Amino acid sequence: MANTLAWTAKIFDGGWLDGGGGTLDVTAPADGALVATVGAADVADLDRAVAKAARVQQEWAAKPYPERASVMTKAAAILEQNPERLTRWLIPESGSSHGKAGAEVGLVLAELTEAATLASQPYGQVLRSAKSRFSVGRYVPMGVIGVISPFNFPAVLSMRSVAPALAVGNAVVLKPDPRTPISGGLVLAEILAEAGLPDGLLHVLPSGADVGAALVSHPDVPCISFTGSTAAGRRIAEAAAPLLKKVHLELGGNNAFLVLPDADIEAAASAGAWGSFLHQGQICMASGRHLVPEHLAEQYTAELAKIAARITVGDPTDPSNALGPIIDENQLKRVDSIVQATVTAGAELAAGGTFDGLYYRPTVLGNVPKDSPAFTEEIFGPVAPITTYRTVDEAIDIVNSSEYGLSVAVLTSNPFKAYELADRIRSGAVHINDQTIDDEAVAPFGGVKASGSGGHFGTTVNLETFCDLQWVTMQSDIQKYPF
């Protein structure tokens, strides 16, 4: 039975209040059932949220760092003790399998734990000066951080901005994807409130694009952290530019999975399947272009197709299903149109290419032309396009030919040789003998080219992301001047 709890946006004054935008029905992509009804925010709600956040932020920033760290530690303990508080929403809202939902909880826990340690990091450097004085560069919180997060990994892709931003002394206004407002925001806010986060520091605004646009252009929000499509990221950057905002964009990817001639093909196919099919391929880091030597392509395609054929697809509430539904009908149609157009362009359909409702079978495409949609576009579906190469130099050129540069995998029996190749690869991440999907709270994460700009996540990197660098000097006596 669907939950019809009256979840609403936590706007201000400590209550779960009805948003001015009415209500928003959250439905399960698995079967279209109503998951919950939440309050929807409007632009007036946003203005009140930002004003409240700005009022309380300075007091929060002035607290001793152990108090801020303690909130993050307690929130992690609350979630670790009862992970079902999050998984019960992740599974129906985003179509997550049980395994994916459990893994996402682990990622959220890691973000909270690392945010707690971030609060105690050295916040600057003692600098040399030509004058007889004390000179320091220190990181200071920016004020109110705007966070816009997506539907695919809604909890961790919200928390990886929310937790560090709060830990270093900011307030946050979070606009989750309207398809995942609970796991992407409301339940996170509830846990942080239980952990002792003072009222008014985190505002969750379930809403549509109008509120997102207003958040980006709000004069009292100096920093925007956005995770989503490259097209939307470009619009955000354009809107924020006249205000000279700090903008952090973690965008799309069309990530290369490079199988070198000396790789173990069975092992590579297993890694490649995970990289392309996990969470229905709805991951910016998914393996989108499998590059295989010509003489190994037939074997690799057959191995990958064999794996695809045995993967279970169905209702994600059933733990036996490895994959769930595509998020909505529009995305399914887009995935299928790319597959069909690529087959028409000459690719071999080795597995999949069919769907039942929003359940798309894991799909393997062999001999994919380099100018076909499955090769040039980010698919965001469970599709593994395979393209061949003749020489490693040619393969590197193919890797770098994409407008994206988020994550690249290199499979080989000679890891050090692959490490040397990494110098030639334009990508935010290179994973040797693994697939392209990986994320650790302690590691910097972000892309180059069309995959992102403006900073990366990661423990100490978050100081640069969510703080301003302030130069402070101090000397014993007032400096005398000749005027």
Side-chain angles (χ1 to χ4, degrees):
M1 178 179 293
N3 282 284
T4 55
L5 299 175
W7 286 82
T8 51
K10 191 173 186 183
I11 306 295
F12 62 101
D13 292 339
W16 294 97
L17 305 177
D18 291 329
T23 59
L24 176 67
D25 286 340
V26 182
T27 58
D31 56 11
L34 181 68
V35 175
T37 298
V38 305
D42 62 10
V43 174
D45 291 324
L46 169 66
D47 290 337
R48 288 194 291 271
V50 173
K52 173 72 173 183
R55 287 197 299 271
V56 301
Q57 179 269 326
Q58 290 188 13
E59 182 181 350
W60 172 246
K63 288 185 179 295
Y65 79 83
E67 292 190 33
R68 298 196 303 273
S70 176
V71 171
M72 304 302 145
T73 303
K74 288 177 181 176
I78 290 169
L79 181 57
E80 187 171 30
Q81 194 170 38
N82 186 10
E84 202 258 347
R85 288 185 62 170
L86 181 53
T87 58
R88 69 182 288 246
W89 298 110
L90 278 170
I91 291 168
E93 264 196 317
S94 66
S96 300
S97 67
H98 279 252
K100 181 265 185 185
E104 187 165 356
V105 169
L107 292 171
V108 172
L109 289 172
E111 293 294 343
L112 287 165
T113 302
E114 289 303 318
T117 67
L118 183 67
S120 63
Q121 289 290 318
Y123 76 160
Q125 292 180 308
V126 177
L127 308 173
R128 296 184 183 275
S129 178
K131 295 182 179 182
S132 179
R133 63 183 177 183
F134 178 75
S135 178
V136 62
R138 62 177 189 164
Y139 290 107
V140 296
M142 300 185 70
V144 180
I145 306 297
V147 178
I148 303 174
S149 59
F151 72 85
N152 55 338
F153 274 71
V156 70
L157 296 184
S158 292
M159 192 61 86
R160 73 174 179 183
S161 294
V162 169
L166 290 171
V168 297
N170 295 291
V172 174
V173 175
L174 167 63
K175 195 204 88 64
D177 189 289
R179 292 166 289 191
T180 52
I182 302 172
S183 57
L186 293 173
V187 72
L188 306 179
E190 185 180 62
I191 291 170
L192 284 164
E194 285 184 29
L197 185 71
D199 174 50
L201 285 169
L202 174 59
H203 301 263
V204 180
L205 306 182
S207 53
D210 59 332
V211 174
L215 179 60
V216 170
S217 61
H218 201 290
D220 296 325
V221 179
C223 176
I224 297 292
S225 178
F226 170 78
T227 302
S229 72
T230 295
R234 287 189 170 115
R235 292 194 296 271
I236 287 171
E238 183 178 4
L243 298 170
L244 303 179
K245 290 195 182 214
K246 203 174 190 179
V247 179
H248 304 282
L249 304 173
E250 200 280 281
L251 308 177
N254 189 6
N255 309 290
F257 182 88
L258 175 57
V259 180
L260 293 182
D262 60 356
D264 180 324
I265 294 301
E266 287 189 15
S270 174
W274 185 268
S276 285
F277 304 143
L278 177 64
H279 193 43
Q280 300 80 261
Q282 298 173 124
I283 305 174
C284 60
M285 296 173 283
S287 302
R289 297 177 296 154
H290 295 239
L291 307 179
V292 184
E294 282 185 346
H295 69 285
L296 296 175
E298 183 177 351
Q299 180 187 357
Y300 181 80
T301 302
E303 289 291 339
L304 195 55
K306 189 190 310 179
I307 295 171
R310 65 173 181 253
I311 293 176
T312 55
V313 179
D315 185 348
T317 61
D318 182 348
S320 68
N321 288 321
L323 301 184
I326 300 295
I327 190 64
D328 58 31
E329 187 175 358
N330 286 337
Q331 181 59 22
L332 181 132
K333 287 179 177 178
R334 181 180 182 277
V335 170
D336 191 55
S337 68
I338 289 174
V339 169
Q340 301 309 323
T342 302
V343 171
T344 299
E348 168 202 355
L349 182 61
T354 61
F355 59 92
D356 180 9
L358 294 182
Y359 297 99
Y360 205 91
R361 285 295 312 170
T363 298
V364 177
L365 299 174
N367 297 316
V368 172
K370 297 183 184 67
D371 58 354
S372 65
F375 184 85
T376 60
E377 299 181 26
E378 181 182 28
I379 303 172
F380 230 64
V383 182
I386 301 168
T387 297
T388 63
Y389 67 87
R390 294 179 181 176
T391 68
V392 173
D393 287 340
E394 179 192 4
I396 297 298
D397 289 341
I398 295 172
V399 170
N400 292 332
S401 67
S402 173
E403 67 169 332
Y404 298 102
L406 185 57
S407 184
V408 169
V410 183
L411 291 300
T412 179
S413 62
N414 188 342
F416 193 80
K417 189 68 175 177
Y419 181 78
E420 292 175 340
L421 288 177
D423 290 340
R424 299 165 56 188
I425 294 173
R426 289 283 294 144
S427 177
V430 177
H431 298 294
I432 297 167
N433 283 338
D434 204 345
Q435 41 76 48
T436 53
I437 302 170
D438 206 348
D439 186 22
E440 290 190 31
V442 297
F445 179 85
V448 299
K449 301 191 288 186
S451 289
S453 65
H456 305 285
F457 303 99
T459 304
T460 56
V461 183
N462 279 322
L463 289 172
E464 299 175 9
T465 301
F466 298 114
C467 294
D468 287 321
L469 186 59
Q470 182 185 62
W471 183 32
V472 179
T473 68
M474 179 173 58
Q475 51 199 63
S476 301
D477 299 308
I478 297 175
Q479 181 73 39
K480 295 180 179 179
Y481 291 92
F483 292 149

